[in-house]
Amino acid sequence: MLADLAGVVFNGLFSAMVVFIFASGLTLLFGVLRILNFSQGGFFAVGAYLAFSLTRLLGPALPLWRFLAIAVVAGVVVGALGIVTERLVLRRLRQVDGAYSLIATYALLLLVEGIVKLIWGVDVRSMEPPAELSGVWQVGDVFMPTYALFILAAGLALFVALEWLLHHSRLGKLMQSVATDPWMASVLGVDVARMQTWIVVGGFFLAGIAGGLLVPNQALSPSLAGTFVIQAFGALIVGGMGSVRGTFMAAILLCVADSLASTYLPGVPGVFFYITMAALLLLRPQGLMRGAQL
Amino acid sequence: MQAAAALAALVMALLLPEIAGQGLVFLAGLLWINMVFGFSWNLMFRQTGLVSFGHAAFFAIGGYGYAVLARAWPGLPPLLVFVAAGALGAVAALVVGVVALRRSLGVYFAIFSLALSQIVAMVISDLPSLGRDDGFAGIRRPVLDLGVATIKLAEGDNYYRFLVLSCALLTLIVWWVTHSRTGRRFRAVQQDAERAAFLGIAVARQRLLCFVIAAAVAAVAGALYGPWLQLLTPELAQWTFSARPILFTLLGGAASFWGPAVGALGFTVLEYATRTLHGVGEITVGGILLIVVLIFPGGIIGGIIGGVRGALGRARPVAGA
């Protein structure tokens, strides 16, 4: 029973890190630009497909370092797409009402999904994790796939890196200033437009790298674009809209609650994520980290 | 003029089976349902500024509600079952609205409604009695007993005509709500909630009322959809389906009552034209929607009106000279 519980919590933490890795870029974009980006899912899918194609191209062997390098390349390419998207779309959304900007990023999601279908087709594909990550660890009675442990570590590392960047580096403080008051920041000599472009590039880079890291976890199909968006939105909004710390905590709370409830309560698996989310939103409409910065 | 145009459209819709083939009639039936679905969403958006990303949940509740009731009690009068499906949607919206609307608005409400519709979709996918992911099949087209005559809706184009008349009635209801005193109160809330409250309008109650009416109309549209397709699937409750009325409204023009109708027509044509090309459909719809939001926020109708005004504006000084 206890070992069961540990296993269930482990599974919850694993999905929490998957959601957090996906939602990190979303949080950055929302925290600074106040744009809730539906299309993040589309660019995540682009990253995943790019990683899949690059892996195919480089041959059957997939050492760990190559898997990581490919994820970074996917991140860089998607980050570059971010520059284009920012110029053509996101920059114009700043004067637009929140609802319209949500709909515009949904349109962008459709567009990207269509392009993915055109390039990679509609067949479902899959990819194995690198050999180093395909084993299983056993601690007591709990079986932990090495790949899941890797994702846990990656999620944690990403969280620590973002926290450090945002709260302890000069760049992070500049980003905070742009997020809090763009006008004041510009008066004080911060190049706000340029900063915003770089934040979009950063957010898109995170989407691409998430795609590269999470391919072995998914069946690769064009519907991948919509898979995590809703859960990531949930973590983002429960966490307090644009706080990395809040999103991290909310992802853990929602996913572990869902994992526990799906195992021990009767009902539809997966639905508890949304029930917890709705309950938390009603209890704390401002999110876990009320008024928090980034 | 609008009434005359609407009446002409209704007559044309009713006469369509005389001149068109079955495939086109089927598409037209879907289009009328889509229009009503769009009107119901725009009632919330245009009148009270509420953005719901979970409107499909009410469509699905109506659709499945009708199918379950009709299967469980085949003896019930069909019209009553359609009304009951609408009531089911209204009650669901009331429960959701009472808790959610006071607490969250704007983007919060959009995401909240998205989560709720996801719950509905997941429950439908899981319940064996609702057919799970395979769908709820074998929904019969009922027999209407009007006292003086009975009409078998399963025969010929009877169900199509019933569908057209029902959609016209629903449109009329939305039109009436929009232009009634209630509709003007909604509008006041949308334009300036604080000032409306100051004038003695119960802001939260207006939003709730509008949400409930929109949900009821969407639910009846869903109920009509079941017998037309004779199959319901959990996708009807998913957020991609919730995005449809939003697409219709923005494509056509949110500022006009008829916007969703124009948008639904445009969307149906686009979808049909690109149906065999994987990816091209999404690229076209996504691209056009993006252009509409970024460059023509008034949608197709706004663009036409702007174009006409522009032409007149240019013509006038010339005429005066």
Side-chain angles (χ1 to χ4, degrees):
Chain A
M1 182 68 194
L2 205 64
D4 259 14
L5 184 68
V8 170
V9 171
F10 177 79
N11 282 340
L13 285 175
F14 170 57
S15 22
M17 286 309 108
V18 170
V19 170
F20 174 70
I21 292 174
F22 181 92
S24 58
L26 209 62
T27 310
L28 216 55
L29 243 67
F30 191 83
V32 184
L33 303 176
R34 300 276 129 194
I35 290 174
L36 199 49
N37 185 18
F38 257 119
S39 70
Q40 195 84 6
F43 290 102
F44 167 81
V46 171
Y49 271 103
L50 271 176
F52 170 81
S53 292
L54 279 174
T55 311
R56 273 275 175 90
L57 206 68
L58 293 174
L62 182 62
L64 181 60
W65 68 266
R66 192 188 277 169
F67 172 70
L68 294 176
I70 285 174
V72 172
V73 170
V76 170
V77 174
V78 175
L81 290 176
I83 301 182
V84 183
T85 313
E86 204 265 345
R87 286 281 145 78
L88 293 179
V89 182
L90 300 180
R91 182 169 291 183
R92 294 162 195 253
L93 289 181
R94 277 174 214 148
Q95 300 88 337
V96 177
D97 180 58
Y100 274 86
S101 97
L102 195 62
I103 291 157
T105 62
Y106 174 71
L108 200 55
L109 171 67
L110 277 182
L111 195 67
V112 175
E113 213 181 316
I115 292 171
V116 166
K117 275 189 191 169
L118 267 192
I119 298 178
W120 282 284
V122 289
D123 300 332
V124 177
R125 296 150 192 258
S126 68
M127 194 180 113
E128 293 293 313
E132 289 93 329
L133 298 182
S134 39
V136 174
W137 286 39
Q138 191 183 359
V139 177
D141 287 339
V142 184
F143 289 93
M144 298 183 286
T146 319
Y147 176 72
L149 285 170
F150 166 76
I151 291 299
L152 273 179
L156 210 58
L158 181 62
F159 173 63
V160 172
L162 281 176
E163 277 292 297
W164 180 83
L165 178 78
L166 289 170
H167 297 288
H168 297 281
S169 72
R170 191 182 138 72
L171 180 68
K173 285 179 182 145
L174 286 176
M175 278 161 73
Q176 300 273 15
S177 76
V178 172
T180 322
D181 190 339
W183 180 79
M184 198 63 203
S186 76
V187 170
L188 293 173
V190 180
D191 189 342
V192 172
R194 193 156 165 191
M195 196 61 147
Q196 288 173 333
T197 308
W198 279 110
I199 283 161
V200 172
V201 172
F204 276 57
F205 173 75
L206 288 173
I209 214 169
L213 291 179
L214 296 175
V215 210
N217 190 38
Q218 320 304 138
L220 207 54
S221 76
S223 67
L224 188 61
T227 312
F228 294 117
V229 171
I230 312 300
Q231 289 190 335
F233 276 7
L236 177 76
I237 195 167
V238 167
M241 293 296 232
S243 142
V244 170
R245 213 172 288 174
T247 304
F248 183 74
M249 280 166 36
I252 292 177
L253 199 66
L254 292 173
C255 290
V256 173
D258 182 57
S259 176
L260 286 172
S262 300
T263 316
Y264 296 113
L265 296 177
V268 187
V271 89
F272 293 97
F273 185 97
Y274 300 101
I275 292 175
T276 317
M277 173 182 161
L280 282 173
L281 273 180
L282 291 175
L283 292 173
R284 290 188 73 111
Q286 272 78 40
L288 295 176
M289 308 291 275
R290 197 182 303 235
Q293 303 165 308
L294 276 172
Chain B
M1 198 194 87
Q2 281 184 34
L7 206 62
L10 175 63
V11 172
M12 262 155 60
L14 283 172
L15 291 177
L16 188 71
E18 313 299 329
I19 50 165
Q22 272 196 329
L24 199 63
V25 170
F26 178 74
L27 273 182
L30 281 186
L31 176 61
W32 312 136
I33 294 173
N34 275 333
M35 281 183 182
V36 170
F37 192 30
F39 286 139
S40 72
W41 188 84
N42 200 30
L43 177 66
M44 289 188 288
F45 183 63
R46 179 166 172 249
Q47 296 304 113
T48 60
L50 215 54
V51 179
S52 165
F53 252 89
H55 206 44
F58 300 112
F59 191 89
I61 285 174
Y64 278 93
Y66 174 86
V68 168
L69 286 176
R71 188 175 60 184
W73 293 286
L76 282 179
L79 289 179
L80 187 71
V81 183
F82 281 111
V83 173
L88 212 58
V91 170
L94 190 68
V95 174
V96 170
V98 164
V99 228
L101 276 176
R102 278 163 207 269
R103 290 288 194 139
S104 58
L105 285 171
V107 181
Y108 284 87
F109 183 73
I111 303 303
F112 186 81
S113 54
L114 193 68
L116 289 177
S117 72
Q118 206 67 15
I119 295 176
V120 173
M122 290 175 111
V123 169
I124 293 173
S125 305
D126 196 66
L127 283 181
S129 58
L130 296 184
R132 295 203 164 155
D133 288 331
D134 299 333
F136 194 123
I139 304 159
R140 287 209 196 98
R141 294 176 182 175
V143 178
L144 279 190
D145 188 357
L146 298 176
V148 283
T150 55
I151 303 169
K152 289 191 180 121
L153 293 183
E155 274 176 11
D157 291 313
N158 284 350
Y159 190 78
Y160 173 79
R161 295 210 175 82
F162 172 72
L163 184 70
V164 169
L165 290 175
S166 306
C167 287
L169 181 67
L170 289 169
T171 306
L172 198 66
I173 291 173
V174 178
W175 167 270
W176 178 78
V177 170
T178 306
H179 294 85
S180 68
R181 283 174 67 94
T182 313
R184 289 206 296 277
R185 270 201 295 276
F186 290 164
R187 196 91 178 154
V189 170
Q190 187 252 331
Q191 281 167 355
D192 193 333
E194 209 174 320
R195 190 174 292 184
F198 188 69
L199 290 171
I201 296 174
V203 171
R205 198 183 299 163
Q206 301 304 319
R207 287 201 184 108
L208 181 62
L209 182 63
C210 190
F211 185 56
V212 168
I213 296 173
V217 173
V220 178
L224 290 166
Y225 179 88
W228 185 237
L229 254 83
Q230 297 177 308
L231 176 73
L232 295 166
T233 52
E235 276 105 71
L236 292 181
Q238 258 154 19
W239 62 283
T240 38
F241 201 69
S242 287
R244 292 248 168 143
I246 307 178
L247 281 173
F248 302 153
T249 302
L250 290 194
L251 209 58
S256 156
F257 178 85
W258 300 108
V262 175
L265 180 64
F267 181 82
T268 305
V269 171
L270 277 179
E271 198 184 39
Y272 187 75
T274 57
R275 70 195 179 286
T276 53
L277 309 160
H278 288 304
V280 176
E282 283 96 335
I283 293 175
T284 325
V285 172
I288 291 178
L289 187 63
L290 206 54
I291 291 169
V292 163
V293 175
L294 293 177
I295 303 168
F296 304 103
I300 297 172
I301 291 185
I304 293 172
I305 291 174
V308 170
R309 283 214 185 115
L312 290 176
R314 242 173 284 127
R316 225 169 266 140
V318 176

